[in-house]
Amino acid sequence: MGNSTYIRVDAEGKKDANGSCILFGEYPQTLKVEGVTVGTTTDSRGYYLGSDGFYYAKVTADPRLSNFTFQSGASVTKGNVYYFKVEPIRWRILSESGDTVLILCDSIIANKRFDDGKNNYRDSEIRTWLNDDFYNTVFNGLQKDLINTVLVDNSIASTGYSPNAYACEDTNDKIFLLSYKEATDPDYGFASSNSTQNTARRMIVSDYARATGALMDTSSYYGNGFWWLRSPGYEDDHQTRYVYYDGRIAYDTYVYFGSHGVVPALQIRLR
């Protein structure tokens, strides 16, 4: 996208001023195609320039399971070196008010552990990664100027459990994960029930994340992954909520699982 800010598109990725999605920022996603050669030096982000003019991320594959394939059908082989194209991220518009939109990544873009032991979102590793490494790698200066700092609701009500002794203080963030409350909000296009196999909550794991260790289904919902919510569980301090591959919101899982996916959200101003 060069020095551009955003492109509004329809669900098929075609430019549309009234489209339901936005291309904004860029990150490694799809496997390099045959015929493209990659240089040996990196830019400031650690990416390599390809012969097609795009940048690529280099990954030594460490898939979560041995039977994973990329979206092309090629096997993801542990220990093999692959290159992934750095390309615009597609975000789904959840809400729009005037020139301000709340957007959610339309795929599992990466996999990270939530934290090394605690479910306190304010203090979590994943929150730090989103607002530091991810933010600074994905967005150029013009795009950063469009991203609002949002007061993120981490109240008991947002977790779906009451009482919940592990709800933390609200945070001020540019990039964040959805809460349980947001992931069950019909106004955002989601089913109100956590037990519904909700299509809107199903997320495909990118080729890049398949190689870096994201967990995904290998049967009826092949390619769909598991992704973190920011809401803690209520039973102890090391479990939090997440979305299952079929679109249900599953019961709590351990925060130190590094195979769960990241689906960031943010608010931007359109102009």
Side-chain angles (χ1 to χ4, degrees):
M1 297 179 71
N3 290 322
S4 64
T5 51
Y6 66 88
I7 299 173
R8 192 155 181 165
V9 297
D10 61 20
E12 297 178 351
K14 297 178 181 178
K15 191 172 182 179
D16 182 347
N18 298 307
S20 60
C21 298
I22 285 177
L23 301 181
F24 186 66
E26 58 183 18
Y27 200 70
Q29 293 176 71
T30 56
L31 182 66
K32 180 182 73 65
V33 299
E34 291 186 16
V36 174
T37 57
V38 176
T40 58
T41 59
T42 60
D43 68 0
S44 61
R45 303 169 295 174
Y47 298 149
Y48 298 83
L49 182 62
S51 59
D52 58 354
F54 286 90
Y55 282 91
Y56 287 83
K58 181 181 179 180
V59 173
T60 300
D62 188 19
R64 185 69 175 80
L65 296 176
S66 61
N67 60 343
F68 284 1
T69 64
F70 294 117
Q71 294 180 70
S72 65
S75 295
V76 186
T77 304
K78 183 179 176 66
N80 277 11
V81 173
Y82 298 99
Y83 291 87
F84 298 91
K85 191 177 189 179
V86 178
E87 51 199 328
I89 302 172
R90 188 170 79 172
W91 306 80
R92 184 190 312 172
I93 296 175
L94 298 184
S95 66
E96 187 167 4
S97 177
D99 65 352
T100 300
V101 295
L102 174 65
I103 56 178
L104 177 71
C105 188
D106 206 27
S107 64
I108 291 174
I109 201 81
N111 59 288
K112 296 286 178 183
R113 69 183 185 184
F114 190 94
D115 195 67
D116 64 351
K118 302 293 184 181
N119 59 9
N120 184 301
Y121 183 67
R122 184 196 64 182
D123 300 331
S124 66
E125 289 180 3
I126 202 165
R127 175 174 174 250
T128 298
W129 180 79
L130 286 169
N131 287 279
D132 188 350
D133 292 354
F134 184 80
Y135 173 75
N136 287 309
T137 300
V138 167
F139 305 108
N140 62 37
L142 293 174
Q143 292 164 341
K144 288 178 179 179
D145 287 343
L146 299 182
I147 300 174
N148 289 333
T149 298
V150 175
L151 179 63
V152 174
D153 176 18
N154 296 313
S155 65
I156 291 174
S158 75
T159 72
Y161 292 127
S162 184
N164 189 342
Y166 303 105
C168 71
E169 296 87 348
D170 292 347
T171 53
N172 290 285
D173 299 322
K174 292 185 178 296
I175 319 293
F176 50 93
L177 302 179
L178 291 187
S179 67
Y180 173 88
K181 181 179 179 180
E182 290 164 337
T184 54
D185 189 340
D187 289 341
Y188 292 163
F190 299 120
S192 60
S193 170
N194 65 339
S195 61
T196 299
Q197 296 183 0
N198 183 215
T199 302
R201 289 194 291 253
R202 296 175 190 167
M203 293 287 177
I204 291 289
V205 179
S206 71
D207 284 346
Y208 174 79
R210 296 181 192 199
T212 59
L215 180 62
M216 68 182 192
D217 183 57
T218 57
S219 56
S220 301
Y221 298 93
Y222 195 94
N224 286 10
F226 303 72
W227 52 283
W228 294 113
L229 299 177
R230 68 176 186 266
S231 300
Y234 72 96
E235 292 186 332
D236 57 50
D237 64 359
H238 55 272
Q239 290 186 319
T240 193
R241 310 195 76 161
Y242 70 104
V243 178
Y244 209 53
Y245 62 81
D246 63 3
R248 290 175 292 156
I249 297 179
Y251 191 65
D252 312 324
T253 193
Y254 292 109
V255 294
Y256 47 76
F257 286 169
S259 58
H260 281 38
V262 183
V263 180
L266 65 154
Q267 187 187 88
I268 66 170
R269 303 180 308 280
L270 305 181
R271 62 186 187 201

